[in-house]
Amino acid sequence: MRTTNKTIINMANWCSNTVTFTGKQENLNNIIGLFQTMIENENKERSGQLPCFSNNKEGCFFETYQIEDECTFQYETKWCPNIEILYEIAEYYKVGFILHYEELGSALFGRAVYDNQTLNNVCLEQSDFEMLCFNCETDCFEFEGKSYYSELDILEILLERKIKLSNPLLFNTDLDYESKIKNRS
């Protein structure tokens, strides 16, 4: 009987992340320099990047780019957000951060906020995703008697509600998506 060795390669689901760092401008400028270096290295090496001071082997930044002149970056990670790496960066540079992340294939959708040496992470649960209902006739998602073109609008509403229930003072950092979406619909 002949046997063969096969290598099984698991392809990563990509988690989309948007992080904004907050703090003193000098520290933010240092973070911008760090991310510019990682972006340049990724382009040269064609591989994900980690900060040079990190001892982690996982949580690499892929396809990173800076949003305008702000200390806001969009990037991809494998499977889940790299909150631990962002925590290391925040501690190293003495700043805070607000992270929005999503990987819908694994039912990940949430927001993490690090401020005053406190990390808070709120994400939706499987039961929240089960509330999504797609109507094939209208080609829209239905939620609470309203139609939405994107499931992301509904997920934002659910996340905002969950944040308000958990501790709204910790997450008073962003737009009120529910009112924003009402204006779009």
Side-chain angles (χ1 to χ4, degrees):
M1 175 182 222
R2 182 180 162 153
T3 61
T4 59
N5 291 333
K6 292 186 179 181
T7 302
I8 298 174
I9 299 173
N10 289 327
M11 297 298 290
N13 286 347
W14 293 104
C15 180
S16 296
N17 304 269
T18 302
V19 64
T20 299
F21 291 95
T22 59
K24 294 181 181 177
Q25 190 59 50
E26 179 182 339
N27 298 348
L28 298 178
N29 290 341
N30 290 332
I31 290 175
I32 290 170
L34 169 71
F35 273 82
Q36 288 173 343
T37 299
M38 290 195 304
I39 290 168
E40 290 170 10
N41 289 343
E42 181 182 5
N43 290 335
K44 288 178 197 170
E45 300 168 11
R46 301 224 181 266
S47 64
Q49 299 294 307
L50 290 167
C52 57
F53 52 82
S54 177
N55 292 323
N56 281 302
K57 301 290 182 222
E58 296 186 14
C60 291
F61 294 80
F62 293 87
E63 298 184 30
T64 305
Y65 63 93
Q66 184 178 3
I67 298 177
E68 298 176 12
D69 292 331
E70 300 175 25
C71 199
T72 300
F73 302 90
Q74 286 191 324
Y75 61 94
E76 304 290 319
T77 52
K78 292 182 178 182
W79 295 290
C80 61
N82 59 351
I83 297 171
E84 187 175 327
I85 304 299
L86 295 174
Y87 174 81
E88 285 182 1
I89 293 170
E91 282 290 299
Y92 189 84
Y93 289 105
K94 308 283 189 256
V95 297
F97 68 81
I98 304 160
L99 171 68
H100 298 266
Y101 59 88
E102 65 182 66
E103 200 292 277
L104 300 183
S106 297
L108 282 174
F109 193 89
R111 184 178 312 155
V113 175
Y114 180 69
D115 189 39
N116 294 322
Q117 297 185 319
T118 303
L119 177 63
N120 293 284
N121 183 23
V122 175
C123 59
L124 298 181
E125 298 171 13
Q126 185 62 39
S127 60
D128 297 314
F129 282 85
E130 291 169 0
M131 296 174 74
L132 297 176
C133 179
F134 186 74
N135 184 332
C136 294
E137 292 177 13
T138 62
D139 204 28
C140 290
F141 288 88
E142 305 292 330
F143 179 68
E144 296 180 341
K146 296 180 183 173
S147 297
Y148 298 87
Y149 291 109
S150 171
E151 72 267 38
L152 295 176
D153 292 339
I154 299 167
L155 296 175
E156 288 287 358
I157 290 170
L158 293 171
L159 183 62
E160 287 295 323
R161 288 179 183 173
K162 195 168 194 173
I163 288 169
K164 286 177 184 175
L165 289 174
S166 66
N167 190 344
L169 296 177
L170 297 173
F171 290 90
N172 188 16
T173 57
D174 210 18
L175 302 170
D176 177 4
Y177 283 96
E178 202 159 348
S179 62
K180 180 181 170 188
I181 291 167
K182 282 180 187 173
N183 294 333
R184 259 198 268 169
S185 299

